[in-house]
Amino acid sequence: MSPNSYRPIHDTNSISYDSLLQGNQKFVEETLKEDPDYFNKLAAGQTPPVLWIGCADSRVPANQITNTSPGEIFVHRNIANMVIHSDMNMLSVLDYAVNVLKVKHVIVTGHYGCGGVIAAMTHQQFGLIDNWLRHIKDVYRLHATELDQITDEKERTDKLVEFNVIENVYNLCKTSIVQNAWKNNQQLGVHGWVYSIQTGIIKDMKVSTYDNANMADVFRFK
Ligand SMILES: [Zn+2]
C-alpha cells in the first residue's frame, strides 16, 4: 500500500486522540512492509517541485487529490487560500520554496463551497476572522459588476471562488520574491486551480504565468 492510497470516509465521531496515534502506528507498519527503507529515504531531504497554497478545509488535502506522496509537494494552507502580502507566514513559505527549494511551480488551489468565501459574501460579523475575510470582500468589489449580475447564489459563490483564486495568483506575481526569480531566469510558473469536493476534479483556471510581461505596470519591479 502506498502512503496515499484510498481510505474510506470515517464517521468523524470515531476519530479520537488515541485513534490518531494508533493510525500512525498502522501507517508506519504498512509503509515499512511495502518499503523497509521508505523513511530513511524521506529523511535524506526534500526537493519538492511544487508549492501548494490551499485552503485549510479538511476535505482538500494536497497530496491525496493529486495522487502524490510525502516529499513531492511543499504546502501552505490558510482560510480560503489567500496570498496576503503582509502575511509573514505565507511570505516565509514562499521565499523558502522559491529561493531555497527552487520549486518550479506555485499553485493556488481554491475549492467550490469554500466556507471562507461564503462567509465573506454575507453581512454577518464572525469576529476576528472578519479581518481576514475582508480580503475576499475586496476581490468581490473588484469583480462586482460581473458578480452582481449572477442571480443564482451558488453560481455567484462559485464565481467568487474562481475570482479569488485568480486574484491570489496575481498577488503571488506581484511579490518581489516571484518577480526576482523571473528576473534571474529561474524557471517558475504560477498557477490557479479550483477543486470540486463534489466530483474530486480540479479545474485549471488557465491563468498560468511565467513572467511579469502582462502585469499592470505599477506592480512591475525592475
Ligand atoms: Zn475553503
Side-chain angles (χ1 to χ4, degrees):
M1 194 180 72
S2 72
N4 60 328
S5 62
Y6 166 80
R7 288 170 197 278
I9 294 172
H10 293 108
D11 171 4
T12 46
N13 288 323
S14 73
I15 307 286
S16 68
Y17 177 77
D18 287 335
S19 75
L20 295 176
L21 292 169
Q22 286 157 9
N24 170 251
Q25 243 172 14
K26 193 167 166 234
F27 161 71
V28 172
E29 281 164 19
E30 288 177 357
T31 305
L32 288 176
K33 216 183 290 170
E34 196 72 30
D35 179 1
D37 215 24
Y38 181 84
F39 294 106
N40 287 332
K41 284 190 273 189
L42 260 192
Q46 61 167 342
T47 51
V50 174
L51 165 61
W52 175 281
I53 299 181
C55 183
D57 193 301
S58 63
R59 299 163 297 176
V60 194
N63 281 130
Q64 279 96 332
I65 67 172
T66 55
N67 201 29
T68 50
S69 298
E72 295 175 348
I73 300 187
F74 199 60
V75 174
H76 177 77
R77 290 168 73 176
N78 60 40
I79 289 173
N81 41 271
M82 305 298 289
V83 177
I84 309 302
H85 67 271
S86 55
D87 175 1
M88 280 303 291
N89 187 353
M90 182 281 298
L91 288 173
S92 303
V93 169
L94 179 66
D95 185 40
Y96 186 76
V98 171
N99 291 319
V100 179
L101 296 174
K102 308 277 186 198
V103 297
K104 293 186 169 54
H105 304 278
V106 184
I107 306 169
V108 177
T109 306
H111 66 100
Y112 297 118
C114 182
V117 172
I118 292 168
M121 288 176 76
T122 71
H123 301 284
Q124 207 178 320
Q125 281 192 31
F126 295 93
L128 179 80
I129 196 178
D130 294 332
N131 298 288
W132 189 254
L133 300 179
R134 244 291 305 283
H135 299 290
I136 307 174
K137 289 178 187 280
D138 288 338
V139 173
Y140 193 108
R141 186 171 63 92
L142 274 175
H143 300 278
T145 313
E146 186 172 343
L147 288 166
D148 285 343
Q149 281 170 3
I150 304 171
T151 48
D152 183 82
E153 204 170 319
K154 188 188 168 296
E155 212 179 298
R156 195 162 76 245
T157 309
D158 286 354
K159 198 73 191 169
L160 182 56
V161 163
E162 294 181 352
F163 279 137
N164 188 48
V165 162
I166 293 168
E167 288 301 330
N168 283 306
V169 167
Y170 291 158
N171 286 344
L172 276 170
C173 298
K174 291 171 195 166
T175 63
S176 54
I177 297 167
V178 168
Q179 290 195 47
N180 284 340
W182 287 334
K183 191 170 73 178
N184 298 329
N185 293 319
Q186 195 174 322
Q187 187 196 332
L188 183 67
V190 185
H191 318 270
W193 289 355
V194 177
Y195 176 71
S196 166
I197 292 171
Q198 210 138 35
T199 64
I201 292 170
I202 288 169
K203 178 179 178 183
D204 185 346
M205 294 313 299
K206 311 263 190 221
V207 288
S208 295
T209 310
Y210 302 89
D211 56 46
N212 65 0
N214 295 317
M215 184 178 290
D217 191 60
V218 72
F219 295 114
R220 205 177 303 141
F221 291 123
K222 280 205 258 186

